[in-house]
Amino acid sequence: MGAISSGAGSAVFEWRGGLYRLKRCGFKDQGLGGPPIADRAFFRDAEGTLREVSVETPRGLCAPELIDSELRALHAARREGLVRDMTVAARYQVGEAGASVLFAITSDVRADEFYLHARDLGLRGLALTVFHDVGALYATAHRAGFTRGVGNAWFGNDVVLPDGNISFVDVENAFVPTDLSPPLLEFVQTCDLLQYRSALVVAFSSESTLRESAGAAIGAFQNGYQKRHESGAAGERAGLLRSTSFAGLRSER
């Protein structure tokens, strides 16, 4: 059993015909060594007040509170169709301060990976549908009272599923309905959009061949967000996935 990908303390691997993502299992080159890092998580206290906690966590693992926060948000996000993949297979406690979680998934083909592949094949219109549909997914999330939260709104933190639909990935910093007051909710949702657009600018500016496309990508994202419906290109994206050997796609056996 070998990892398909590994980085940022997580790994994707195939096992017995299934595809799994183990979130926080040490870094590829560093393992679990090094000084601890500060993790943050949001929770409700006994009086129902939303609070933020910061705890020192072994490097390469998650704080147990952060795992609990993600599983809470994941349950709510699945009900709204924001996460169409990812079911919890196991949760692990590593000592007192560390934890990790194993998700059964069907795809780890990130939105940025699909975009680059489609663009390199000359399918620029199909490539841009990814941004449109990510925008539509953000609109669905915001209408339902969700936010992506601090650090989750960035280019590539979404996957293209085998059926061509788009799904959120990380939701550990997401706020779910009733977490925030209306003014604060509006502010954080605005931050979601600013963070995603800013991340696009940074990502596209890092490669000279992408610079001319940054405006088109942001425009497609904005269009999807404002129209609040998907592009209808899921079937075409699924066809490209079937015709291409993406490592992060569950094998059909």
Side-chain angles (χ1 to χ4, degrees):
M1 179 178 67
I4 292 172
S5 65
S6 177
S10 300
V12 174
F13 60 93
E14 282 190 315
W15 184 59
R16 295 184 177 179
L19 189 65
Y20 296 89
R21 182 163 73 100
L22 181 57
K23 183 165 186 175
R24 300 297 181 263
C25 55
F27 291 95
K28 182 177 181 180
D29 299 323
Q30 303 174 15
L32 298 175
I37 59 174
D39 251 343
R40 67 174 180 276
F42 297 91
F43 71 100
R44 289 195 177 276
D45 62 19
E47 288 74 38
T49 302
L50 188 69
R51 298 189 181 279
E52 181 180 9
V53 60
S54 179
V55 293
E56 286 197 340
T57 308
R59 186 173 294 272
L61 294 172
C62 265
E65 295 89 346
L66 189 61
I67 293 291
D68 293 340
S69 177
E70 174 151 33
L71 297 187
R72 170 177 170 265
L74 176 64
H75 180 69
R78 285 183 63 86
R79 288 200 308 266
E80 297 292 338
L82 305 174
V83 176
R84 307 176 188 185
D85 200 15
M86 287 174 52
T87 55
V88 179
R91 181 189 186 281
Y92 304 101
Q93 184 73 31
V94 185
E96 293 184 0
S100 61
V101 59
L102 180 67
F103 295 109
I105 61 176
T106 60
S107 174
D108 195 55
V109 178
R110 298 300 177 115
D112 54 346
E113 180 185 4
F114 183 92
Y115 167 81
L116 291 171
H117 181 68
R119 184 211 62 177
D120 289 347
L121 291 175
L123 303 173
R124 186 171 182 270
L126 180 61
L128 288 174
T129 65
V130 171
F131 300 107
H132 179 105
D133 288 1
V134 169
L137 193 59
Y138 271 72
T140 299
H142 287 178
R143 288 200 311 274
F146 284 83
T147 76
R148 289 294 331 247
V150 178
N152 282 347
W154 49 272
F155 176 46
N157 204 24
D158 320 280
V159 293
V160 182
L161 302 180
D163 63 4
N165 283 306
I166 307 291
S167 174
F168 286 153
V169 182
D170 297 315
V171 292
E172 72 270 20
N173 291 318
F175 291 109
V176 303
T178 73
D179 272 351
L180 304 176
S181 65
L184 187 54
L185 175 64
E186 182 180 1
F187 172 77
V188 177
Q189 289 179 342
T190 299
C191 289
D192 278 351
L193 302 180
L194 291 173
Q195 287 176 15
Y196 188 86
R197 292 196 299 261
S198 298
L200 281 179
V201 172
V202 171
F204 277 67
S205 297
S206 65
E207 184 183 341
S208 59
T209 59
L210 293 180
R211 288 176 186 167
E212 62 181 8
S213 303
I218 293 172
F221 173 77
Q222 286 293 106
N223 192 39
Y225 187 82
Q226 292 166 0
K227 289 189 174 180
R228 301 184 178 185
H229 63 75
E230 296 175 349
S231 64
E236 194 174 354
R237 289 195 296 262
L240 182 58
L241 288 174
R242 287 193 296 269
S243 66
T244 306
S245 297
F246 279 98
L249 200 65
R250 188 177 66 185
S251 303
E252 296 296 334
R253 294 187 174 93

